[in-house]
Amino acid sequence: MMESFPGLLLVAMIILTLILLPYLNDDRARSSERTGRTEELHIKQKRKQ
């Protein structure tokens, strides 16, 4: 029985991750909509000398 315990635990964690993953992505999207903030990327142009 002890030999199969780590395997069962791994399967349980994978199933739990697959079930909860969509909810984690939704929370992150909602929080950015609530605050009105988005990620910004600022690119500086190279100056010619």
Side-chain angles (χ1 to χ4, degrees):
M1 179 66 186
M2 290 303 291
E3 295 85 16
S4 64
F5 182 71
L8 292 174
L9 185 62
L10 179 63
V11 170
M13 289 298 173
I14 291 172
I15 292 172
L16 187 64
T17 302
L18 291 175
I19 291 171
L20 294 178
L21 194 60
Y23 296 110
L24 294 173
N25 288 337
D26 288 345
D27 290 342
R28 186 174 295 158
R30 284 189 204 130
S31 66
S32 66
E33 289 175 1
R34 274 186 253 135
T35 59
R37 294 182 180 178
T38 58
E39 295 181 15
E40 295 180 6
L41 179 63
H42 297 281
I43 302 173
K44 293 184 180 179
Q45 294 181 349
K46 294 183 179 178
R47 295 183 183 184
K48 295 180 181 178
Q49 293 181 352

